[in-house]
Amino acid sequence: MYNERPQFSRPQPSGFGSPSDGDQISLREIFDLLRAGRWTIAIVASVVLLLGLCIAFLVPPSFVATGVVQIDDPGKTATAAASAEFQALPTFLSGALLQTEGELQILMTRLVLDPVIERMNLEVVAYPRHFPIIGSAYSRMINGGSAEPVKVWSPFRRWAWGGEDIGIESMEVPRGLLNDEFELRATEDGYSLSIPWGEEVLRGKVGVPAASADGSVRLLVSQLRAQPGTLFSVTKFSHDDTVKNLLGRMTIAELGTASGVIAISFSGPKRAMVKDFVNALEASYLQQNIDRRSLDAQRSLEFLESQLPKLRSQMLAAQEQLAQYQQKHGSTDLGAETQVLLESSANLETRRLGLIQQLDQIKQQFTAQHPAVQSIVQQLRSVEQDQNRLKGRLGALPPTQQEILNLSRDVQAYTQLYNTMLASIQNYQVAKAGTVGNVRIVDTANEPFKPSFPKLMTIAPISLALGLLLGVVWVFVQRGMIGGVEDPSELERRTRLQTLAMLPYSRKQRRIARAIKSGDSGGARVLAQLEAEEPAIEALRSLRTTLELTLRQASNNVVMMCGPAPELGKTFITVNFAAVLAQSGRRVLVIDADLRRGRLHTYFSNEVGQGVTDVVRRETPYDSVVRSTDIVGLDYVSRGAHAPNSAETLLHSRFTELVEQLSKRYDCVLIDTPPILAVTDAAIVGRHAGTSLFVIKSATHRMSEIEDAVRRMAAADIELHGVLFNQVGARAGSYGYGDYGYRYYEYQA
């Protein structure tokens, strides 16, 4: 027992790792927390697992089909057979134009997608309407493979239950109705179509084009399998929205690094549709590649054919000039050295003319600043420099030989260039006729057998693992939110109150509490009477031994049980501690001083009867309010009739006389009081008690809350003789009280 006033230090956060242990979290604490919160973890895991299974069964499946194409080296294709003089671009340019990244982007352009959209009529989406939430899953799992529509009771016939199908070959709607959902209803002889706000637009028959009265809506249904009355949703999407939707469901990626092998994947709710889309996309990509390369060959062919007459005229003019010069000056034999110079000069001139032709051709596609253009210009400058150097050597020849050499060079150069251009034209004609492109289909898509999502065998374990993780997190968060005190040494250090007993959580007491709450009137309700070997009762026997000396030194034999908040188990401790004292041969009386919500009588009977308030307000004799129990030596006084002003009742002299008179008749009087943070009643009752015990619930109260309760008792000049920890290890935590240090408790009857 401590005789000096409790001293209070500055409040510190409490919870895991109190300041006394250096904020260390032990594995034992974690294990105990998880063990205490095992039911919370199990419930959270079960809920998350159930949600995962609901997703697996209720979410419509998504199927994925995949195809593979390969981009070959353009030099290996038929168009590469054209002459290098006119077709080949610089090596670095060819590599840049045929990078796989560029082909990936081409696959996602309208150039490739538009033929697929038109071929598969993807702008129109139609599907049967199912019963909300479960209808689609029922249709898939029960009747998904039915060849005929399932017949149902007429009120449910508007929904599809399995076997329904619709095919729309074409649909035209006004621009303002694009992306709006139409309602198509199957009828005995065909169908009816209604606009989104319910007005019927047209009626038609399967396989026969139908149109609205003003002709703005046209529809051709190629297939309809459904019971009369079944509803379908039909939507004509805009072209832009259709492309966006398709791109969102496509996955295009290169397999490996710089491999030129591209995988094309597409997801959707229908097996056959995703397969057909991938195969159609591959075919469209292959065709546009062929068309593009054929177009390149056509453009080159047109350019060369346009240049051929001009080159032929230049060749004939050169031959004419040479013939005229020879007729005028006679034939002149050229020496061996001059012949070498002639060959060199002719080759350089042929090269120069060829580069000029290439430059004219490439300028049709690129600007003057493009690297390809700059490369040819650089080559042209190099050839011209070589020609200038060769002119220096030609200047040493006689004038006649120089003229003959120049004319012969022009004839030879134009003749070689003309023959080369003829060969190139023939090669381009062959290339255009046999263009196969540089793309080939490696794998076509197969119809997927299993959905890619959801997968039960994947979702179930993931959901379970996620649920366990969330459950553990919730237990820790819940515990952190409470920050309740559960370390006796920390409580003793902060309040200087000795811990007299720690009562473990009792499941049997929980059942008793449920019986009391339900109003069950059968059987005893005192745990010490029913289960004398319970650990909680053993803890109370230890408390009885601990209090022997305290009770002897106290000013009287009155013991007050108080606490900071409701629902601590204070009445449970009071009743069972009284039973333990009575079982040791003492005469014990228990008084219920909780005049608002006292429940002491529920442990012995179901009626409040006369009690404290009757003695004070109605001056009922003391002896008439004392009632006996089944436990020998144990009597009790209930709270009595409801008292609107409990504090005034407890301050009355009749209450003081009640306590004094009854304490003389018994060896020990225990008084159960309301929570001190809710009302001031405990501070009033404490003046009559020689011993006051403070009850807290383990891992429930913040240190600041406890300190405030102790401070209030000290302000009322009441000395607390020790602390009782109740429900130790009961659970992982409770609800937090916010961020204000302690909670304001309402305590009304």
Side-chain angles (χ1 to χ4, degrees):
M1 181 178 69
Y2 292 89
N3 294 321
E4 60 178 310
R5 296 290 184 188
Q7 301 296 318
F8 301 99
S9 59
R10 184 178 181 180
Q12 298 290 337
S14 61
F16 276 140
S18 60
S20 60
D21 58 14
D23 291 334
Q24 296 298 315
I25 301 178
S26 68
L27 293 178
R28 180 65 182 179
E29 289 176 338
I30 295 176
F31 175 78
D32 290 342
L33 177 63
L34 296 179
R35 183 177 179 274
R38 60 188 180 277
W39 291 113
T40 299
I41 296 174
I43 292 174
V44 174
S46 300
V47 170
V48 176
L49 177 60
L50 181 61
L51 291 176
L53 295 178
C54 289
I55 291 175
F57 284 105
L58 297 180
V59 172
S62 177
F63 298 91
V64 175
T66 302
V68 180
V69 298
Q70 183 181 18
I71 305 171
D72 292 327
D73 186 343
K76 298 178 181 179
T77 59
T79 47
S83 173
E85 291 289 339
F86 296 97
Q87 184 196 15
L89 296 176
T91 303
F92 75 89
L93 178 62
S94 300
L97 293 176
L98 296 173
Q99 288 293 325
T100 306
E101 181 63 29
E103 297 298 323
L104 294 177
Q105 299 302 320
I106 291 176
L107 272 165
M108 295 185 289
T109 60
R110 292 182 178 179
L111 176 68
V112 179
L113 286 174
D114 282 354
V116 180
I117 294 173
E118 182 178 358
R119 174 182 173 184
M120 299 182 65
N121 193 27
L122 297 179
E123 291 183 348
V124 180
V125 176
Y127 57 89
R129 292 184 180 178
H130 295 95
F131 190 81
I133 302 177
I134 64 171
S136 177
Y138 177 85
S139 176
R140 293 192 307 272
M141 294 185 293
I142 306 300
N143 299 300
S146 177
E148 294 296 330
V150 177
K151 296 182 179 180
V152 295
W153 191 31
S154 57
F156 297 95
R157 197 170 293 170
R158 61 178 299 174
W159 291 293
W161 297 98
E164 295 79 9
D165 192 18
I166 186 172
I168 296 182
E169 186 171 330
S170 64
M171 183 178 186
E172 297 179 9
V173 300
R175 186 178 184 86
L177 294 179
L178 289 174
N179 301 333
D180 287 342
E181 184 176 328
F182 286 76
E183 181 181 272
L184 186 145
R185 182 185 297 272
T187 61
E188 293 288 348
D189 58 347
Y191 61 88
S192 64
L193 184 71
S194 301
I195 56 178
W197 47 89
E199 180 183 351
E200 184 177 293
V201 177
L202 58 84
R203 284 181 171 268
K205 295 183 178 181
V206 177
V208 180
S212 61
D214 59 0
S216 61
V217 179
R218 298 179 181 274
L219 182 65
L220 175 56
V221 178
S222 59
Q223 179 183 356
L224 180 61
R225 187 172 69 235
Q227 292 292 323
T230 304
L231 297 179
F232 292 81
S233 292
V234 182
T235 304
K236 174 66 177 289
F237 288 96
S238 66
H239 187 73
D240 289 343
D241 289 335
T242 302
V243 172
K244 290 179 181 178
N245 177 267
L246 294 176
L247 291 177
R249 295 157 60 185
M250 290 170 53
T251 301
I252 301 176
E254 184 178 11
L255 302 179
T257 303
S259 63
V261 179
I262 299 175
I264 305 171
S265 299
F266 184 74
S267 62
K270 296 182 179 180
R271 307 170 191 263
M273 184 268 181
V274 295
K275 178 201 71 171
D276 294 341
F277 178 85
V278 172
N279 291 336
L281 188 68
E282 288 181 332
S284 177
Y285 176 56
L286 178 63
Q287 186 60 47
Q288 70 81 27
N289 182 265
I290 294 175
D291 293 343
R292 183 178 59 182
R293 296 183 63 80
S294 177
L295 180 61
D296 291 341
Q298 176 64 28
R299 289 176 178 174
S300 298
L301 184 60
E302 292 176 354
F303 176 79
L304 293 179
E305 289 177 344
S306 66
Q307 296 295 316
L308 185 63
K310 178 181 177 181
L311 183 59
R312 184 173 182 277
S313 298
Q314 292 173 338
M315 179 189 67
L316 294 177
Q319 292 176 350
E320 181 65 24
Q321 289 179 3
L322 177 60
Q324 292 178 358
Y325 186 84
Q326 289 177 340
Q327 289 178 1
K328 182 177 180 180
H329 300 281
S331 178
T332 303
D333 294 331
L334 301 177
E337 182 179 358
T338 305
Q339 287 289 349
V340 172
L341 293 175
L342 175 60
E343 290 294 331
S344 299
S345 179
N347 291 335
L348 288 174
E349 182 64 16
T350 302
R351 178 61 176 160
R352 187 183 71 85
L353 295 175
L355 288 172
I356 292 174
Q357 294 286 350
Q358 289 188 49
L359 186 60
D360 293 339
Q361 181 179 2
I362 202 170
K363 279 184 176 181
Q364 297 180 2
Q365 302 179 15
F366 305 108
T367 64
Q369 289 74 30
H370 195 276
V373 178
Q374 294 295 323
S375 175
I376 295 178
V377 170
Q378 186 63 32
Q379 295 180 52
L380 188 59
R381 291 174 181 172
S382 177
V383 171
E384 290 175 347
Q385 290 175 359
D386 291 340
Q387 286 183 323
N388 291 333
R389 286 192 294 268
L390 186 60
K391 287 180 180 180
R393 298 177 59 186
L394 295 177
L397 297 176
T400 303
Q401 290 190 1
Q402 289 184 27
E403 186 65 25
I404 289 294
L405 189 144
N406 289 333
L407 294 174
S408 299
R409 178 202 62 193
D410 292 341
V411 171
Q412 187 173 349
Y414 283 120
T415 301
Q416 291 179 1
L417 194 59
Y418 180 77
N419 292 332
T420 301
M421 185 174 289
L422 284 177
S424 297
I425 289 174
Q426 293 176 356
N427 289 334
Y428 272 116
Q429 290 173 341
V430 173
K432 179 184 175 182
T435 300
V436 295
N438 66 319
V439 172
R440 65 188 182 96
I441 298 176
V442 178
D443 286 331
T444 57
N446 293 324
E447 187 171 300
F449 178 70
K450 294 182 179 180
S452 61
F453 179 86
K455 293 183 178 179
L456 179 62
M457 299 307 296
T458 301
I459 289 179
I462 291 178
S463 299
L464 181 60
L466 180 60
L468 292 173
L469 177 61
L470 291 177
V472 171
V473 171
W474 173 245
V475 168
F476 277 94
V477 170
Q478 195 178 25
R479 181 66 183 87
M481 291 172 60
I482 298 168
V485 177
E486 58 182 350
D487 185 359
S489 61
E490 171 65 8
L491 181 63
E492 292 176 3
R493 188 185 69 82
R494 298 287 295 276
T495 65
R496 305 193 68 181
L497 292 176
Q498 182 181 7
T499 301
L500 300 179
M502 299 184 68
L503 283 71
Y505 174 70
S506 173
R507 296 187 180 277
K508 294 180 180 178
Q509 175 58 31
R510 183 181 181 183
R511 290 194 291 269
I512 293 174
R514 287 178 177 175
I516 293 174
K517 189 174 182 179
S518 64
D520 184 8
S521 60
R525 296 176 176 178
V526 181
L527 185 63
Q529 183 182 9
L530 297 174
E531 298 290 342
E533 303 302 323
E534 269 285 298
I537 304 304
E538 289 294 337
L540 291 176
R541 292 194 182 97
S542 177
L543 174 64
R544 178 186 63 190
T545 303
T546 303
L547 286 179
E548 286 287 348
L549 180 60
T550 303
L551 292 174
R552 291 174 185 175
Q553 296 178 350
S555 59
N556 58 37
N557 62 347
V558 179
V559 179
M560 180 182 69
M561 296 290 185
C562 62
E567 306 297 332
L568 301 176
K570 186 163 34 60
T571 303
F572 158 75
I573 293 178
T574 303
V575 171
N576 283 276
F577 184 54
V580 169
L581 290 174
Q583 289 171 353
S584 66
R586 293 177 174 82
R587 296 185 71 250
V588 183
L589 176 69
V590 182
I591 299 176
D592 191 353
D594 187 349
L595 305 184
R596 291 177 173 83
R597 294 168 53 184
R599 296 183 294 110
L600 179 65
H601 59 280
T602 60
Y603 283 84
F604 306 108
S605 68
N606 288 322
E607 295 181 358
V608 178
Q610 293 183 331
V612 174
T613 56
D614 298 282
V615 172
V616 175
R617 300 284 182 180
R618 303 173 185 176
E619 298 186 356
T620 304
Y622 303 140
D623 293 338
S624 64
V625 298
V626 177
R627 286 186 277 184
S628 61
T629 67
D630 294 337
I631 302 174
V632 178
L634 176 60
D635 297 333
Y636 75 97
V637 177
S638 70
R639 60 180 170 85
H642 174 66
N645 299 312
S646 60
E648 287 76 4
T649 302
L650 296 175
L651 285 170
H652 201 280
S653 59
R654 292 279 294 174
F655 178 74
T656 303
E657 293 175 4
L658 173 67
V659 175
E660 291 177 351
Q661 292 297 324
L662 295 180
S663 66
K664 296 176 181 179
R665 303 180 187 182
Y666 292 89
D667 297 323
C668 182
V669 176
L670 300 179
I671 303 179
D672 185 21
T673 62
I676 185 62
L677 293 181
V679 292
T680 61
D681 296 9
I684 299 173
V685 175
R687 300 172 184 175
H688 306 292
T691 304
S692 298
L693 301 180
F694 193 68
V695 180
I696 67 171
K697 190 175 181 180
S698 178
T700 302
H701 307 287
R702 294 180 182 272
M703 181 62 71
S704 58
E705 182 181 25
I706 296 174
E707 287 180 334
D708 187 69
V710 174
R711 187 181 295 109
R712 292 191 183 189
M713 298 299 287
D717 201 24
I718 298 173
E719 180 182 352
L720 297 176
H721 295 80
V723 177
L724 307 180
F725 271 84
N726 189 28
Q727 294 192 21
V728 176
R731 52 186 173 175
S734 183
Y735 292 100
Y737 299 146
D739 300 324
Y740 300 101
Y742 67 91
R743 179 181 178 181
Y744 173 75
Y745 297 96
E746 294 184 0
Y747 200 75
Q748 300 295 330

